[in-house]
Amino acid sequence: MARSIPQPSILIDYELQPRPFSLAESQESYFWVNQTIEFPGRRYLKGKLAYLESQEAERELEILKLSIAYQVKEAFFNLLLAEEQLKYSLENLEIAQKFKEMVELKYSAGEISQAEVLRAKVELSRAVNLARSAETQRNIAKARLNIILGRKSNEVIEIQGELKQKNLDLSFDEAYKLALSLRPELKKLEYSLLKTKTMKSQAYLSYFPDFNLGLSRHKVSGEKFWDFNLSFTVPLFFWQTKRGEIAEAEALYRALEKEKAYWQNIISLELEEAYQNVLLAQEQIQIYEKDMLSQSQEVYDMFLLSFKEGQIGGLDLIEARRTWIETKMSYAETLYQHAVALASLERVL
């Protein structure tokens, strides 16, 4: 559209008619064809401006795609986390049920008091509520992922994947160089700067006029002639508008340079935050896998054996079980945070 050629115009003129619409009796007639010829280079600049604007729009599309991709990943890993926590909640419910049965058996044998039975029942109720809450969170996570994918919230959806992701193998300097070369916001600003330069060139080119060429078949009293004309505007008052257009382009260019520097700072800040979040999550995962998971299970197994032998009360065993289950849930939450931090880092890059 920007590089289209101006449409020609046709003028038919019948003059000196004795009566209205008596064309055949006209003493003089013209058949004009006029064509505007733009000054050389003007169509090229208009096409270049349109191309640069299309590139800006494509960078906006890239920004939107990156945002959607991050939302999908975050919702996907959130559903994985909800399913993992539901699994641990059901495991906790099964253990609480077995604990209640064990306590009732010990109570019938006269080994413990009724208070232990009541405590076991309360703990079973807590486990039931925890499992129901985890199931609700799983359903909400499914609905959220469906909505982000453009589906109905109640559509059936099943996913496959692992919460645990590979560790980051990228230095901060390498990541910063990647971000500066890949971020669509910076690419868009590069196209905007080029567009502003082109606008300034277009304003300078506007000092030169377009041409209007005309060719006509002229008939006077039966005699036929050819007429040719050339016209163009004389830019006597160019300072009224063109100077303003040039000044506007120069001011816009300076503003875009400031915006580019601003985005470079923002990208550095976003990258620092995302990079540190990934490293923090990796360190926490290492601590869980090295000590906390195995130690919490060992404590629970040891307390369970001691309870069976009558060396400790049920309250100690309950606390050990809670610690074990909560440690596994916290580990799953840390895996989720690591996966989301990696997705955030990828978006920043």
Side-chain angles (χ1 to χ4, degrees):
M1 292 168 58
R3 299 184 65 179
S4 62
I5 299 174
Q7 299 296 328
S9 60
I10 296 177
L11 171 64
I12 301 175
D13 185 11
Y14 289 90
E15 298 185 358
L16 305 178
Q17 299 178 37
R19 295 180 303 280
F21 302 108
S22 56
L23 305 183
E25 300 178 30
S26 173
Q27 299 296 316
E28 187 175 5
S29 64
Y30 296 88
F31 183 82
W32 282 96
V33 176
N34 290 286
Q35 176 65 54
T36 299
I37 305 296
E38 294 179 295
F39 193 85
R42 186 162 295 167
R43 283 182 61 244
Y44 165 76
L45 290 179
K46 289 196 298 183
K48 186 177 180 180
L49 276 176
Y51 167 75
L52 293 173
E53 288 175 356
S54 72
Q55 293 302 308
E56 287 179 322
E58 287 190 15
R59 300 297 86 75
E60 287 286 350
L61 181 60
E62 287 183 15
I63 295 171
L64 179 60
K65 286 181 177 179
L66 287 173
S67 176
I68 293 174
Y70 171 75
Q71 292 177 41
V72 170
K73 291 176 183 178
E74 194 272 336
F76 177 86
F77 288 119
N78 185 56
L79 179 53
L80 279 180
L81 173 64
E83 291 180 343
E84 195 77 3
Q85 291 182 333
L86 177 59
K87 181 181 73 174
Y88 293 144
S89 299
L90 294 176
E91 182 181 352
N92 179 59
L93 178 59
E94 183 180 356
I95 294 174
Q97 181 65 38
K98 291 180 179 179
F99 175 67
K100 173 179 171 293
E101 294 172 357
M102 189 189 336
V103 168
E104 289 176 341
L105 187 61
K106 279 180 169 288
Y107 175 71
S108 63
E111 298 179 8
I112 58 175
S113 66
Q114 187 178 8
E116 294 283 4
V117 178
L118 294 176
R119 186 178 291 118
K121 290 181 178 179
V122 170
E123 195 61 23
L124 179 60
S125 298
R126 287 170 58 92
V128 170
N129 289 333
L130 181 62
R132 289 176 178 173
S133 176
E135 186 175 5
T136 300
Q137 292 301 318
R138 193 265 309 268
N139 293 336
I140 293 174
K142 281 188 173 184
R144 183 165 174 261
L145 180 57
N146 268 328
I147 292 299
I148 292 176
L149 293 177
R151 309 167 80 221
K152 294 182 179 179
S153 61
N154 58 352
E155 284 192 50
V156 177
I157 183 170
E158 298 294 338
I159 62 173
Q160 294 179 350
E162 296 291 336
L163 267 178
K164 189 171 182 179
Q165 301 294 302
K166 294 181 180 179
N167 285 343
L168 179 65
D169 186 18
L170 186 70
S171 68
F172 181 81
D173 291 337
E174 291 173 334
Y176 185 65
K177 290 179 181 178
L178 276 176
L180 291 182
S181 63
L182 297 177
R183 278 293 287 264
E185 293 90 347
L186 291 179
K187 289 185 177 181
K188 179 188 174 185
L189 282 170
E190 292 292 343
Y191 284 115
S192 297
L193 287 168
L194 287 174
K195 186 181 77 171
T196 305
K197 286 184 177 180
T198 307
M199 290 170 59
K200 185 177 179 181
S201 299
Q202 189 181 48
Y204 276 119
L205 195 61
S206 297
Y207 287 148
F208 301 98
D210 294 332
F211 301 96
N212 197 309
L213 302 179
L215 182 66
S216 71
R217 186 65 166 166
H218 187 188
K219 182 179 179 181
V220 180
S221 301
E223 296 290 332
K224 296 181 179 180
F225 307 92
W226 286 98
D227 292 340
F228 172 78
N229 72 331
L230 170 65
S231 64
F232 54 88
T233 57
V234 181
L236 294 178
F237 308 107
F238 60 87
W239 61 86
Q240 294 180 327
T241 57
K242 303 311 174 186
R243 284 183 178 180
E245 292 177 7
I246 294 172
E248 182 181 11
E250 291 174 346
L252 181 58
Y253 189 86
R254 293 194 298 269
L256 288 172
E257 285 185 324
K258 296 292 185 182
E259 186 177 353
K260 182 179 179 180
Y262 165 79
W263 269 107
Q264 289 174 339
N265 292 331
I266 288 295
I267 290 171
S268 177
L269 178 62
E270 290 179 348
L271 183 62
E272 179 73 27
E273 182 180 0
Y275 194 86
Q276 293 300 327
N277 285 338
V278 172
L279 294 183
L280 175 61
Q282 288 179 177
E283 292 175 1
Q284 292 177 336
I285 290 172
Q286 187 176 6
I287 294 173
Y288 274 105
E289 293 177 343
K290 183 178 179 181
D291 298 318
M292 295 180 66
L293 288 172
S294 58
Q295 290 176 356
S296 62
Q297 185 173 1
E298 288 175 6
V299 170
Y300 171 73
D301 293 339
M302 183 175 61
F303 275 43
L304 178 60
L305 180 61
S306 298
F307 178 76
K308 290 180 179 179
E309 294 177 353
Q311 297 176 1
I312 62 172
L315 185 59
D316 293 329
L317 181 60
I318 289 173
E319 289 297 328
R321 191 191 82 246
R322 286 181 185 174
T323 302
W324 179 40
I325 296 297
E326 288 173 0
T327 300
K328 292 201 290 186
M329 287 192 170
S330 297
Y331 173 63
E333 178 72 27
T334 305
L335 291 178
Y336 162 75
Q337 291 174 355
H338 179 244
V340 172
L342 284 173
S344 177
L345 179 61
E346 184 179 357
R347 180 178 61 85
V348 172
L349 291 179

